[in-house]
């Protein structure tokens, strides 16, 4: 097997798997369960490749291939019964999901600007369609449009920034081009960070997030939040690690303001929400503020903290949005916080997964979110961002408030009759995925050293 095939095995698996799922629709009498089973098989291959640690694959590429494989597998498991019972399961759903994962993987391990732009757009185009997958749902169509229009503008800004960097450096490689000092490079980099910041929902380019998350089917919102954010954060970490000292002096004060604003807007915005999906959307905005803070300290130990937090964040949002889908009936998703009252007694298993996801998002021990926040704030303090870290800790306390608000609703008895608790079965795969997510959040909270050791090995540590 050639070195090229070995190095790009995950990308080839996702591309071929998406094509195969779409081609299956041309065959007659394909059982409905064959699409998610085939998609799951090809989604698992990048993870197996990462575990094998092949020659020719960089450690960072292995990390993101493994992470995106877990995210895609969990999404397929959560989506299979959900989409079947709501009448929008089919080849396009799973084919687009695999191709979107391919775009995310290209974005995460891109070494040049062209590949970064291709990966970003491939992932985004498939997500637009996935958000509107439920054709009889006007809210989903509206959400896809609200994501597409500003997304196209953000892509234009990103491409213009890349053009400025290329004009200043004459290179399309990210590391070589950012090493060239000068105001043109700094201006281009600022525009690139705006484009990537849109995908990460960084304030003030975050306004699309609550509407899109609310309109998307819950498992698709989980995929959008975990996979898309992880890939965009990977690109942000890569860019920030290659920035020249001159550009850093110009741009880092603006990034510090952006990180503080994102943490404040996300956590304060979530407090006022009566919709669970909008609450989770604002929470995800706040989490990206923590990631941006770690990215600013990427060369001072923030990289390891950011990678751990990305893995924890993926588990948190998959668990939270997955539980929302599993606690919903046929028409739409259970979205009003009042409609969650008492579900902890009627559906203790699904409500328990949601509770663990919320506790982790709030940073409560013993969960992965607590360890992740501890690492991120520690990295920021070590890099000298004392004021920003202190502000982040204050906003994190606000995050505890709205998480406890929803947790309290789950375990209230008195309003259960007013909000019928009938839900659809999540199916064996969905139930297994929810269990793995919950166990992962608690496991990483109790034994973080397993993942931290693997991440340290990526950076040449122990």
């Amino acid at each position: 097997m050639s070195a090229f095939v070995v190095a790009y095995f995950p990308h080839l698996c996702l591309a071929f798997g998406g094509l195969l799922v779409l081609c299956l629709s041309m065959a007659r009498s394909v059982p409905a369960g064959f699409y998610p089973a085939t998609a799951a098989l090809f989604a698992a291959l990048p993870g197996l490749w990462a575990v094998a640690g092949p020659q020719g694959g960089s450690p960072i590429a292995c990390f993101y291939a493994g992470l995106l494989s877990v995210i895609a597998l969990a999404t397929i498991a959560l989506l299979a019964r959900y989409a079947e019972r709501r009448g929008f399961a089919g080849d396009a759903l799973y084919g687009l999901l695999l191709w979107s994962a391919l775009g995310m993987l290209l974005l995460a391990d891109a070494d040049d600007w062209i590949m970064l732009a291709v990966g970003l757009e491939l992932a985004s185009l498939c997500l637009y369609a996935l958000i509107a997958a439920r054709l009889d749902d006007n809210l989903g169509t509206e959400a896809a449009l609200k994501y597409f229009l500003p997304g196209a503008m953000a892509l234009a800004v990103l491409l213009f920034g890349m053009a400025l960097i290329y004009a200043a450096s004459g290179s399309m490689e990210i590391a070589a081009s950012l090493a060239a000092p000068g105001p043109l490079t700094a201006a281009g980099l600022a525009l690139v960070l705006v484009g990537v910041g849109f995908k990460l929902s960084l304030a003030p380019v975050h306004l699309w997030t609550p509407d899109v998350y609310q309109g998307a089917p819950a498992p698709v919102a989980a995929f959008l939040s975990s996979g898309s954010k992880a890939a965009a954060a990977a690109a942000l970490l890569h860019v920030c690690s290659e920035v020249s000292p001159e550009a850093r002096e110009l741009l880092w004060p603006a990034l510090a303001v952006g990180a503080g604003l994102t943490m404040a807007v996300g956590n304060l915005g979530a407090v006022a929400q009566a919709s669970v999906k909008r609450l989770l959307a604002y929470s995800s905005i706040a989490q990206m503020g923590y990631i941006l803070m770690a990215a600013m300290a990427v060369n001072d130990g923030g990289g390891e903290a950011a990678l751990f937090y990305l893995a924890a964040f993926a588990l948190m949002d998959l668990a939270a949005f997955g539980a929302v889908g599993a606690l919903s009936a046929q028409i739409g998703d259970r979205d009003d916080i009042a409609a969650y009252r008492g579900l902890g007694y009627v559906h203790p298993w699904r409500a328990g997964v949601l509770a663990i996801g919320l506790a982790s998002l709030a940073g409560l021990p013993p969960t992965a979110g607590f360890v992740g926040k501890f690492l991120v704030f520690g990295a920021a303090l070590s890099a000298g961002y004392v004021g920003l870290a202190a502000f982040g800790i204050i906003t994190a306390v606000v995050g505890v408030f709205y998480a406890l608000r929803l947790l309290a609703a789950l375990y209230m008895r008195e309003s259960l009759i007013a909000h019928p608790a009938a839900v659809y079965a999540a199916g064996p795969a969905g139930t297994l995925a929810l269990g793995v997510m919950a166990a992962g959040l608690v496991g990483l909270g109790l034994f973080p050293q397993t993942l931290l050791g693997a991440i340290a090995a990526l950076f040449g540590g122990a």
Side-chain angles (χ1 to χ4, degrees), residues 149-444:
L149 292 177
M153 188 174 296
L155 177 66
V157 171
L158 180 80
L159 293 177
F160 187 57
M162 291 177 183
L164 291 180
I165 294 173
Y166 178 71
S169 65
S171 173
M172 290 306 292
E173 291 188 4
I174 294 175
S177 61
L178 292 180
L184 201 56
T185 302
L189 179 59
L191 294 177
V192 166
L193 291 175
V194 170
V196 175
F198 173 84
K199 294 299 178 185
L200 283 170
S201 303
L202 299 179
V205 287
H206 67 286
L207 296 174
W208 60 274
T209 313
D211 289 344
V212 173
Y213 281 33
Q214 188 179 27
V220 174
F223 184 60
L224 169 64
S225 177
S226 56
S228 174
K229 296 285 177 66
L236 175 70
L237 290 169
H238 187 186
V239 169
C240 287
S241 67
E242 304 291 353
V243 171
S244 66
E246 294 82 0
R248 189 184 297 263
E249 287 183 11
L250 284 172
L251 296 176
W252 257 228
L255 289 186
V257 172
L261 190 62
T262 302
M263 291 185 284
V265 166
N267 283 311
L268 293 175
V271 171
Q273 300 305 314
S275 155
V276 171
K277 291 171 79 175
R278 292 181 74 86
L279 183 151
L280 293 175
Y282 275 104
S283 174
S284 77
I285 293 171
Q287 311 301 325
M288 290 303 106
Y290 305 133
I291 292 291
L292 179 56
M293 187 167 57
M296 292 170 60
V298 66
N299 293 328
D300 300 298
E304 293 91 331
L307 291 183
F308 184 93
Y309 202 82
L310 280 180
F313 172 71
L315 294 179
M316 295 178 211
D317 268 22
L318 285 168
F321 278 108
V324 167
L327 285 167
S328 299
Q330 181 177 4
I331 301 175
D333 293 321
R334 188 186 296 269
D335 199 26
D336 192 342
I337 290 179
Y340 281 77
R341 289 177 179 167
L343 289 184
Y345 299 100
V346 183
H347 301 288
W349 168 240
R350 303 178 201 199
V353 174
L354 178 57
I356 292 173
L358 288 169
S360 190
L361 285 168
L364 298 177
T367 62
F370 170 76
V371 178
K373 284 185 173 59
F374 181 82
L375 293 172
V376 167
F377 290 135
L381 289 171
S382 298
Y385 302 114
V386 178
L388 184 60
F391 184 74
I393 292 170
I394 294 171
T395 61
V397 173
V398 178
V400 176
F401 169 77
Y402 61 77
L404 290 179
R405 181 173 157 232
L406 183 51
L407 280 170
L410 282 172
Y411 295 98
M412 285 182 177
R413 288 183 182 275
E414 63 269 21
S415 298
L416 187 60
I417 296 176
H419 300 283
V423 300
Y424 266 127
T431 302
L432 177 63
L434 290 175
V436 170
M437 296 303 115
L441 288 173
V442 177
L444 286 179

Side-chain angles (χ1 to χ4, degrees), residues 131 143 147 300 312 392 409 426:
I131 292 167
Y147 189 31
D300 300 298

